[in-house]
Amino acid sequence: MFVDTHCHIHDSELTSKSEFSADEIIERAREAGVETLICVGTSVKSSKEAQEFTAKRDNCSFSIALHPHEAEKYSKQELNSQMDELDAIVASSPQKLVAVGECGLDYFYHSDAEVLAKQEMLFRRHLKIAVESDLPVIFHIRDSFEDFFRILDDYKGIRGVVHSFSATEKELKGALSRGLYVGLNGIMTFTKDQKQLDTAKLVPADKLLIETDAPFLTPKPFRGTMCEPKHVILITKFLSELRGESQAFLAKQTTKNAKTLFKL
């Protein structure tokens, strides 16, 4: 059994062009051996869609968040108002809510000081929700690990996963020293950065999660098509060969890790 710990197949804006319906995508995943999916929110709309989507499907859970990209689109007041809406979702204690995220910091696409300040404000509000609700966090961290660790260290007891990890051994050590899990996806199959591959080998098996980020980051050899949760199998096969571990071992261990972190 496999778990796709990060996908967006619930999001109407992202999967509207797919030739398959959401339920067909889920069935294709199940036929491949991917039995459990976490549908990850990135905005108020996306988070509410994730809640509605998973409520009807036994093998799906969800998370809620404002992606750091949202900081560029809205004023501080508007962002706080949107976070209030997420607070209300958490307060309603939905059964299938398993995480806060994806949230964090993104300095790859953003450099404006005002936007970065709003990103930090948003990130801190997400961490506050996680502490108060005892939920794990799905972190989106890009070119911003120094500030990520600085902010994270202000909050005690945070557990979570660094989604789409593609950094170096230095950042890996920082994440592991804080007890975080590491999410690897299709990037590993097509990256040309040897340091990323070398670091992927160093992730302890008991801290590894496998994800697709569907419909993004389609692994080889299907680049150019829409990513699906079923591609967890391809990612696992690649990591098996890269790390010198059997696919059966990775399936068992990463499923155990997902169940532990997200209380599935």
Side-chain angles (χ1 to χ4, degrees):
M1 184 177 75
F2 294 85
V3 178
D4 183 357
T5 59
H6 193 119
C7 69
H8 304 279
I9 64 169
H10 66 283
D11 193 314
S12 60
E13 293 184 15
L14 298 181
T15 57
S16 59
K17 296 180 180 179
S18 172
E19 62 180 299
F20 303 106
S21 70
D23 287 312
E24 286 173 331
I25 291 172
I26 291 172
E27 182 57 31
R28 285 159 63 84
R30 184 183 290 111
E31 289 174 355
V34 184
E35 296 188 2
T36 305
L37 314 176
I38 297 179
C39 298
V40 177
T42 55
S43 66
V44 171
K45 179 176 180 290
S46 171
S47 296
K48 289 181 176 179
E49 284 186 340
Q51 180 178 10
E52 181 179 356
F53 183 90
T54 58
K56 306 171 185 176
R57 295 167 174 89
D58 292 339
N59 62 331
C60 298
S61 298
F62 77 103
S63 69
I64 58 168
L66 298 185
H67 194 284
H69 290 341
E70 299 295 288
E72 186 179 46
K73 303 176 184 178
Y74 302 100
S75 68
K76 185 176 180 179
Q77 181 178 359
E78 289 170 326
L79 292 169
N80 273 312
S81 178
Q82 291 177 35
M83 288 301 302
D84 289 342
E85 293 189 63
L86 297 187
D87 278 327
I89 294 175
V90 176
S92 70
S93 300
Q95 182 179 2
K96 292 195 171 184
L97 176 61
V98 296
V100 176
E102 64 184 280
C103 60
L105 306 169
D106 192 315
Y107 295 178
F108 181 82
Y109 287 108
H110 309 284
S111 59
D112 180 81
E114 182 179 353
V115 173
L116 299 189
K118 287 189 290 184
Q119 283 194 13
E120 178 166 343
M121 179 272 293
L122 272 182
F123 188 31
R124 287 185 180 277
R125 282 210 58 176
H126 285 90
L127 293 175
K128 183 174 182 290
I129 291 175
V131 170
E132 292 176 348
S133 60
D134 192 31
L135 286 169
V137 184
I138 300 170
F139 298 108
H140 174 106
I141 307 298
R142 195 164 187 191
D143 290 358
S144 53
F145 274 92
E146 184 174 342
D147 282 346
F148 166 55
F149 292 139
R150 170 182 61 82
I151 296 167
L152 185 62
D153 288 344
D154 288 341
Y155 299 82
K156 304 302 180 184
I158 293 288
R159 49 189 211 287
V161 54
V162 182
H163 151 64
S164 197
F165 188 87
S166 57
T168 68
E169 183 178 356
K170 176 184 177 182
E171 290 78 23
L172 175 63
K173 288 180 176 178
L176 294 175
S177 71
R178 291 164 173 84
L180 301 179
Y181 288 79
V182 174
L184 298 181
N185 54 38
I187 289 175
M188 295 297 111
T189 71
F190 58 80
T191 182
K192 296 180 180 179
D193 188 337
Q194 187 60 44
K195 288 183 179 179
Q196 292 179 353
L197 296 175
D198 291 342
T199 303
K201 297 177 186 179
L202 299 176
V203 180
D206 64 354
K207 287 296 182 181
L208 176 62
L209 295 176
I210 299 177
E211 56 179 44
T212 63
D213 204 20
F216 308 110
L217 303 179
T218 308
K220 290 176 66 176
F222 295 105
R223 301 290 293 155
T225 66
M226 193 186 88
C227 188
E228 297 182 43
K230 71 172 187 174
H231 290 141
V232 161
I233 308 303
L234 290 175
I235 297 164
T236 303
K237 182 177 185 296
F238 179 87
L239 291 175
S240 169
E241 296 171 356
L242 176 72
R243 293 164 56 92
E245 298 164 330
S246 73
Q247 293 183 61
F249 168 77
L250 285 176
K252 183 177 181 180
Q253 184 63 59
T254 57
T255 296
K256 179 181 178 181
N257 297 343
K259 288 183 175 181
T260 298
L261 178 62
F262 298 111
K263 298 182 179 180
L264 300 175

